[in-house]
Amino acid sequence: MSKKKKPSVLIYTDGACSGNPGPGGWAALLSWNGKEKEISGGEPDTTNNRMEMRAIIEALKALTRPCRVEIRSDSALIINAFKQNWVGSWIKRGWKKSNKKPVENQDLWKEMLKAMKPHDVTWTKVKGHADDERNNHVDGLAVEASKQYQ
C-alpha cells in the first residue's frame, strides 16, 4: 500500500495591535493547489506578539489533514524560536528563558506546538512592510481585523 504524500500548503501570517497592549487583529493566507483561503480575527486587549502567534495557530487549525506547511512570517521572535530551537531550550528549562525568567505567552506557545503536531512545518522569515505582496496583504487584513475591537 503506497503512503499518500502530504499536501503542501504555503501560509502567510501577520498580527497587528493598536497600542501594545491594546486591541489587536491577526490574519492568515493559506495557499495550496492554486487555491487560497483568508482567515482573520482579533481580540479587544492583546499584544502584537500574541496576535502573530494566534495567526499561526488558527492557520494550522484550519488545515483538515496532515500537511507539509511552509509558514512565512515577519515575526523574528517566532521564526527564531523555531529555527534556533529556543522552544526546545525553553521546554528543557521548564518554560524559562536563559535569564531564568518565565517565557511570555506560554499558553500560546503550547497551543502552537499542539497545532503543529500533525504537520511538517518549515519557517521562513519575510521582511515586514516591504515588497512581499502576500505579506503586505495579510498585514492589511490583520489591521482591518483589529479595527473591529477598537
Side-chain angles (χ1 to χ4, degrees):
M1 202 181 287
S2 70
K3 203 174 149 195
K4 202 166 180 230
K5 202 173 107 176
K6 289 182 181 177
S8 292
V9 180
L10 174 62
I11 300 176
Y12 275 84
T13 63
D14 206 3
C17 212
S18 182
N20 203 13
W26 59 266
L29 174 65
L30 295 79
S31 305
W32 72 101
N33 282 345
K35 296 184 201 83
E36 290 190 337
K37 178 180 181 172
E38 294 174 356
I39 58 173
S40 63
E43 294 174 20
D45 186 30
T46 188
T47 64
N48 196 53
N49 282 341
R50 288 186 71 82
M51 291 294 90
E52 295 275 3
M53 296 169 82
R54 178 56 63 201
I56 292 167
I57 292 164
E58 296 305 325
L60 290 169
K61 284 166 61 175
L63 301 174
T64 57
R65 61 179 185 249
C67 297
R68 284 181 315 173
V69 180
E70 179 187 351
I71 295 175
R72 293 188 184 173
S73 169
D74 59 19
S75 170
L77 170 67
I78 294 171
I79 299 297
N80 290 336
F82 288 101
K83 285 190 114 166
Q84 297 180 22
N85 198 31
W86 297 350
V87 173
S89 299
W90 296 338
I91 292 168
K92 274 189 202 135
R93 289 193 291 262
W95 288 97
K96 298 226 182 335
K97 298 186 283 190
S98 55
N99 65 5
K100 309 278 191 274
K101 290 193 171 130
V103 173
E104 291 91 3
N105 303 314
Q106 286 178 42
D107 56 334
L108 293 182
W109 287 112
K110 290 172 183 175
E111 194 178 344
M112 193 182 310
L113 289 168
K114 186 179 175 189
M116 288 168 58
K117 272 243 173 13
H119 310 292
D120 301 330
V121 180
T122 57
W123 301 91
T124 303
K125 170 84 170 71
V126 296
K127 193 170 159 62
H129 313 283
D131 56 2
D132 189 315
E133 204 177 295
R134 286 173 159 173
N135 180 254
N136 291 335
H137 183 67
V138 290
D139 176 60
L141 292 172
V143 169
E144 279 307 306
S146 75
K147 288 178 180 171
Q148 296 169 35
Y149 296 89
Q150 290 173 21

